[in-house]
Amino acid sequence: MSIMRKIQQRMQQLEEDVNQKSKQLRNKLNDETVEGGKYSELTIWDVDEILTERSKKYQNGIYTYHDPEAFQRFYESNEKNIQKLKEFQRELIQAAKKIREKDNELGNWIAANMK
C-alpha cells in the first residue's frame, strides 16, 4: 500500500510540474510576441490558438498535454485497490488471531490429555 501511495504522490507531483511548465511556456511565448520578440509576427491569440490545438485540454489558464481524466481514473482506481488491500489485511489479521487461538486451545488440550 505504501508503494501505491508513493506512486500516486509522484504522479500528482508530475502533474503539478507539468501544469507549472505549461504556465511558464505560455508566459514565455506571450513575452516573445511583443515587438522585437522572437515571435513578434504572432499575436497572443495566435499563440493561444496554437497551444489549444496541440494540447489535450485547456482549463484555468493551463494547457495540458496529458489526459487529466486518465490520471483521475488512475487515482480513483488506485484508491479502490488500496482500500481492498486494507480490507484484505484486516481479514488476514483476524485469520491469524483465530489460528493462534485454535493453536493455543489445541496445545492446552494436548497438555491436559498427556498427563
Side-chain angles (χ1 to χ4, degrees):
M1 288 180 283
S2 163
I3 292 172
M4 293 171 80
R5 288 264 186 235
K6 286 180 184 177
I7 289 170
Q8 185 162 332
Q9 289 169 349
R10 181 65 182 132
M11 287 183 67
Q12 288 169 332
Q13 183 61 50
L14 287 171
E15 199 170 20
E16 289 173 20
D17 291 347
V18 167
N19 290 345
Q20 184 63 30
K21 295 290 183 190
S22 174
K23 287 179 186 179
Q24 290 172 353
L25 173 64
R26 174 142 191 217
N27 291 337
K28 180 181 178 185
L29 290 173
N30 284 346
D31 290 346
E32 292 180 355
T33 60
V34 297
E35 189 173 327
K38 190 174 183 179
Y39 304 111
S40 60
E41 45 307 319
L42 297 176
T43 66
I44 291 173
W45 296 279
D46 293 328
V47 169
D48 186 56
E49 184 177 331
I50 292 166
L51 291 175
T52 301
E53 286 175 9
R54 299 287 180 210
S55 67
K56 294 263 185 193
K57 186 174 182 177
Y58 175 78
Q59 183 176 346
N60 301 328
I62 299 172
Y63 298 92
T64 57
Y65 300 94
H66 63 282
D67 183 356
E69 285 81 18
F71 273 68
Q72 189 58 40
R73 285 190 302 274
F74 167 78
Y75 297 144
E76 290 168 3
S77 172
N78 194 49
E79 192 58 40
K80 285 179 186 176
N81 289 331
I82 288 170
Q83 294 307 317
K84 286 179 184 178
L85 283 172
K86 283 182 178 180
E87 181 59 32
F88 182 61
Q89 180 183 38
R90 284 189 287 273
E91 289 174 9
L92 282 176
I93 290 169
Q94 288 301 320
K97 286 179 182 178
K98 287 181 182 179
I99 289 171
R100 187 178 326 128
E101 288 172 9
K102 290 295 180 186
D103 188 45
N104 288 337
E105 287 176 20
L106 181 58
N108 291 338
W109 183 84
I110 290 172
N113 289 303
M114 292 293 288
K115 297 179 182 177

